[in-house]
Amino acid sequence: MLGTRRTTFLSFQPPAIGDEEIEAVTETLRSGWLTTGPRTAELERRFAEYVGAKHALAVTSGTAALHMALVALGVGPGDEVITTPITWPATANVIVHTGATPVFADVRESDLNIDPDEVARLVTPRTRAIVPVHLAGQPADLDPLWALGLPVVEDAAHAVESEYRGRKIGGLSAATCFSLYATKNVAAGEGGVITTNDDDVARAVDDHRIMRRGHGSLYDIAVPGYKANLSDVLASIALCQMDKLEHHREVRMRHVAAYDAAVAELDGIDPLARDPRDLHALHLFVVRIDAERAGATRDEYQRAMADEQIGTSIHFLPVHRLTAYRDRYPDQPPLPVAERAGDEILSLPLSPAHSPGDIDDAIAALRRVHAGFTGS
Ligand SMILES: Cc1ncc(COP(=O)(O)O)c(C=O)c1O
């Protein structure tokens, strides 16, 4: 009934790369464009159209996208930027890189996205921007954040397909930042995209992401910029991945439906909430493990799943508890919801590269582990 252990290790999020990507890379290499060129321009055009934004600017990573967006908005020393602790550290790191101070607002119990009431409580005259994260693909609640009247930079690393109240994420805030990292819904290996409707933000990002030589050997620069432009080789992979978004979404939906049905039967293992008013990108399937009801801690579950040959991950440990942030900001107030969640969350394998059989294996392993810990 509970089946047997896999003989090979199931990766947590393998990339779904096929012959199309391989051919596109070969063609790009043959074209002679190794750096930013026509494929990057095409990706920017497609991305802007897909999310419904006036501008899309491709950069080297999601981290660079967030950094360039904050720089473009003029965030700098003396400013505060409010963000969530339940995110990849890059979201907070880029605030530090600008010279501003990250201020962490606690998250909501339901979906672990930033709590707008906490954000409102933390706004000061120094607050220069708010950076919510759409965790796992569930949009953060943007209306009450926009109502605060400050620029919002969305971290949409998990949210290429997401919609907030019927509107696609990407053309809604001052800037929206996507990641094209190897595990993401549009996976180029590395890369990022900033989308915006604001001409000034787009121009400032463009000025900072690459130093151009122009047409002659005489040149001048208006700002001491960075080097964060995307290469055509990676853009060509991202373009293929965009073609596959719809098909990959169907696969993700089947995987998530199988997980939903399975965890509904496992006491103490509960998925994060998905708001039916929004479209969830289904980038991650995150569960919370209540040690009392589930018979063991998250860490014990993660180890037991690894023994079952099933790769899992954690999205995310609270950033303000990591060494760099504890050292730099020792008076950080406790954030009880995020801190408890950080001990309980576990992400199960989810990729369009997984077969239904792979997901069945992950579910069977989770059932066995649960039965072992609960004695049921
Ligand atoms: C929520 C979040 N923000 C930002 C990033 C940074 O993106 P990148 O790895 O492309 O720099 C990631 C992931 O990798 C992420 O998961």
Side-chain angles (χ1 to χ4, degrees):
M1 160 77 185
L2 287 177
T4 52
R5 187 156 68 141
R6 272 176 75 99
T7 51
T8 56
F9 191 77
L10 183 67
S11 296
F12 166 66
Q13 262 184 337
I17 293 293
D19 290 341
E20 300 80 5
E21 285 83 356
I22 293 166
E23 278 159 27
V25 167
T26 308
E27 219 177 278
T28 305
L29 292 174
R30 291 216 167 92
S31 79
W33 276 102
L34 292 183
T35 182
T36 307
R39 263 92 181 165
T40 306
E42 172 69 2
L43 176 66
E44 291 178 335
R45 195 193 60 70
R46 285 273 303 278
F47 215 95
E49 183 183 271
Y50 178 75
V51 302
K54 190 169 175 196
H55 305 279
L57 297 110
V59 290
T60 40
S61 65
T63 306
L66 288 160
H67 188 194
M68 294 301 109
L70 293 179
V71 168
L73 285 165
V75 174
D79 294 334
E80 292 173 355
V81 177
I82 302 175
T83 192
T84 167
I86 298 291
T87 186
W88 182 239
T91 317
N93 293 348
V94 295
I95 299 170
V96 177
H97 296 164
T98 65
T101 303
V103 175
F104 296 104
D106 209 349
V107 294
R108 300 189 301 196
E109 195 73 49
S110 57
D111 58 9
L112 304 184
N113 273 329
I114 200 165
D115 183 339
D117 293 337
E118 288 299 307
V119 176
R121 208 174 54 75
L122 292 166
V123 170
T124 73
R126 292 167 66 193
T127 309
R128 195 70 177 66
I130 303 167
V131 184
V133 174
H134 306 309
L135 185 68
Q138 166 60 51
D141 196 3
L142 294 166
D143 280 327
L145 298 180
W146 293 326
L148 296 170
L150 289 156
V152 171
V153 174
E154 297 172 46
D155 180 336
H158 300 179
V160 170
E161 295 160 67
S162 301
E163 291 176 15
Y164 175 68
R165 311 291 140 86
R167 297 155 75 200
K168 235 184 180 61
I169 291 294
L172 307 179
S173 292
T176 304
C177 301
F178 298 91
S179 166
L180 308 178
Y181 178 63
T183 60
K184 299 297 192 275
N185 286 23
V186 172
E190 300 288 353
V193 180
I194 300 143
T195 57
T196 181
N197 293 322
D198 186 323
D199 295 343
D200 293 336
V201 170
R203 196 171 313 109
V205 167
D206 197 31
D207 280 347
H208 282 91
R209 70 175 162 171
I210 184 171
M211 298 291 100
R212 290 182 199 285
R213 194 169 255 277
H215 297 295
S217 53
L218 291 177
Y219 54 87
D220 191 16
I221 58 167
V223 291
Y226 302 86
K227 188 74 198 296
N229 52 305
L230 188 72
S231 113
D232 258 26
V233 180
L234 296 175
S236 70
I237 301 176
L239 281 164
C240 294
Q241 292 271 297
M242 290 199 75
D243 290 338
K244 297 179 179 180
L245 268 177
E246 214 168 300
H247 171 60
H248 283 174
R249 178 166 184 82
E250 285 164 18
V251 178
R252 287 176 191 281
M253 283 172 71
R254 281 200 297 275
H255 292 347
V256 167
Y259 278 137
D260 276 339
V263 299
E265 318 245 293
L266 299 176
D267 191 32
I269 303 186
D270 302 302
L272 296 189
R274 301 197 294 272
D275 192 325
R277 293 171 295 180
D278 301 327
L279 191 74
H280 195 292
L282 308 179
H283 172 58
L284 298 169
F285 190 82
V286 180
V287 293
R288 289 182 73 159
I289 298 189
D290 174 349
E292 211 158 291
R293 290 189 291 133
T297 63
R298 183 275 314 281
D299 291 351
E300 289 167 322
Y301 265 83
Q302 187 169 39
R303 279 195 294 274
M305 289 295 277
D307 289 345
E308 288 274 357
Q309 302 268 54
I310 305 295
T312 58
S313 190
I314 294 170
H315 300 85
F316 292 99
L317 298 174
V319 176
H320 69 293
R321 304 300 304 154
L322 302 177
T323 303
Y325 285 86
R326 277 191 288 114
D327 285 354
R328 202 175 177 105
Y329 310 104
D331 298 329
Q332 197 67 241
L335 300 171
V337 183
E339 285 164 32
R340 197 172 49 254
D343 290 337
E344 294 183 350
I345 46 185
L346 186 69
S347 302
L348 301 177
L350 180 62
S351 161
H354 287 134
S355 69
D358 291 333
I359 301 301
D360 288 347
D361 286 346
I363 289 170
L366 188 62
R367 286 196 181 117
R368 280 193 297 275
V369 168
H370 184 265
F373 284 136
T374 56
S376 58

